[in-house]
């Protein structure tokens, strides 16, 4: 198994993978070039035709935005082609990859500039943030099943962040909480933060709980997004 957290996998991690796991990793990274790195153009005819090479003929796609699964390549192309392109300058950061013998799961965060206003408060030209998980099941070296789960929580938090003045809350964090928060934003785990700061994992967990409460957020993912907003 391989876990990739905002950095390239190490040679040792790659060497520990089985042959099928290495193939799956290479395969999904190539696939992501179409639907992540070039996401704004992902629904273009050229990109959709290129994606055919990665899909099994009996592909099944489960998207939380669709009441029923999408079945088959042609239906998948029609589904993606109908997605309105309201974003520009979109970029994704892979926060975690889990590679198995017949499956790959990818956690990601994304940001983009709006081409159309949304939610009544975020205007054209503003940058918004989101996150999600993409999971695929492989069969005969093709994507046979795919699940797409994403959240608009970060967009909602972004509105609250501006409207409720949570910038001031961050300035009220203790010195140690600020240190923990900064490492959270960089994607470090509790275990990694404990080693960096020379404290126990439980102490880091307590700091995280305090940070979430003070910032009015619920989890690590929201903390990362808010941290990016502060940097901007």
């Amino acid at each position: 198994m391989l876990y990739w957290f905002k950095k390239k996998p190490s040679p040792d991690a790659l060497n520990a993978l089985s042959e099928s796991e290495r193939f799956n990793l290479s395969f999904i990274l190539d696939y992501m070039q179409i639907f992540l790195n070039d996401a704004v153009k992902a629904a273009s005819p050229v990109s959709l035709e290129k994606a055919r090479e990665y899909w099994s003929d009996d592909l099944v796609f489960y998207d939380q935005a669709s009441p029923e699964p999408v079945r088959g390549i042609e239906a998948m192309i029609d589904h993606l082609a109908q997605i309105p392109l309201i974003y520009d300058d979109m970029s994704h950061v892979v926060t975690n990859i889990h590679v198995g013998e017949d499956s790959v799961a990818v956690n990601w965060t994304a940001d983009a500039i709006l081409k159309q206003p949304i939610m009544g408060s975020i205007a054209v030209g503003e940058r918004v943030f989101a996150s999600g998980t993409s999971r695929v099941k492989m069969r005969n070296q093709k994507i046979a099943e795919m699940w797409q789960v994403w959240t608009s929580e970060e967009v909602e938090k972004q509105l609250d962040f501006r409207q409720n003045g949570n910038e001031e809350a961050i300035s009220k964090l203790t010195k140690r909480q600020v240190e923990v928060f900064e490492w959270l934003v960089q994607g470090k785990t509790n275990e990694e933060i404990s080693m960096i700061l020379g404290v126990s994992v439980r102490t880091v967990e307590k700091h995280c709980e305090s940070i979430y409460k003070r910032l009015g957020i619920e989890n690590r993912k929201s903390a990362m997004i808010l941290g990016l907003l502060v940097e901007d």
Side-chain angles (χ1 to χ4, degrees):
M1 295 181 180
L2 169 69
Y3 292 89
W4 177 18
F5 204 87
K6 300 181 75 171
K7 64 181 179 180
K8 293 182 179 179
S10 68
D12 288 342
L14 290 174
N15 290 335
L17 297 178
S18 67
E19 183 176 348
S20 61
E21 288 173 334
R22 280 196 295 271
F23 172 85
N24 290 344
L25 175 62
S26 176
F27 183 95
I28 205 65
L29 291 180
D30 287 343
Y31 181 75
M32 285 162 51
Q33 295 294 322
I34 301 174
F35 286 97
L36 291 186
N37 291 350
D38 199 20
V40 171
K41 300 177 182 178
S44 71
V46 174
S47 294
L48 292 176
E49 285 302 313
K50 187 176 181 180
R52 284 178 179 269
E53 304 171 12
Y54 297 86
W55 295 332
S56 173
D57 291 339
D58 57 352
L59 170 73
V60 181
F61 176 56
Y62 304 88
D63 189 340
Q64 70 179 45
S66 301
E68 298 293 335
V70 179
R71 301 180 182 276
I73 292 179
E74 297 305 323
M76 180 67 163
I77 289 178
D78 289 343
H79 172 76
L80 294 176
Q82 293 172 13
I83 297 176
L85 296 179
I86 65 172
Y87 303 109
D88 197 7
D89 190 28
M90 179 180 286
S91 63
H92 285 73
V93 174
V94 173
T95 56
N96 187 287
I97 292 184
H98 174 206
V99 182
E101 291 291 337
D102 64 353
S103 64
V104 181
V106 179
N107 296 329
W108 48 266
T109 61
D111 65 273
I113 294 176
L114 282 180
K115 295 169 66 177
Q116 299 177 21
I118 62 173
M119 300 179 69
S121 298
I122 305 182
V124 172
E126 289 209 53
R127 185 168 291 278
V128 295
F129 301 84
S131 63
T133 298
S134 302
R135 184 162 63 93
V136 303
K137 184 174 183 180
M138 306 287 293
R139 185 166 60 244
N140 298 325
Q141 298 187 334
K142 297 277 188 177
I143 296 176
E145 296 181 56
M146 182 161 46
W147 293 260
Q148 179 87 346
V149 179
W150 48 269
T151 177
S152 61
E153 175 187 0
E154 280 65 37
V155 175
E156 295 167 359
K157 290 296 184 182
Q158 187 169 346
L159 291 176
D160 292 340
F161 185 78
R162 292 172 179 174
Q163 295 168 354
N164 298 333
N166 283 342
E167 299 97 328
E168 296 182 6
I170 291 179
S171 68
K172 296 178 182 178
L173 296 178
T174 67
K175 181 179 179 181
R176 182 60 91 182
Q177 287 171 349
V178 170
E179 291 177 327
V180 172
F181 180 77
E182 289 175 346
W183 289 117
L184 279 178
V185 173
Q186 295 183 46
K188 297 297 184 182
T189 64
N190 288 349
E191 290 76 11
E192 291 172 328
I193 295 173
S194 72
M195 293 179 63
I196 293 170
L197 300 181
V199 298
S200 69
V201 174
R202 182 55 185 158
T203 297
V204 174
E205 292 173 349
K206 284 291 187 181
H207 282 312
C208 289
E209 292 171 4
S210 298
I211 290 169
Y212 301 158
K213 183 177 181 180
R214 183 159 294 188
L215 297 184
I217 58 180
E218 297 179 356
N219 53 43
R220 187 181 219 87
K221 182 171 58 180
S222 296
M224 293 175 65
I225 298 300
L226 292 185
L228 291 174
L229 289 172
V230 171
E231 290 178 359
D232 288 345

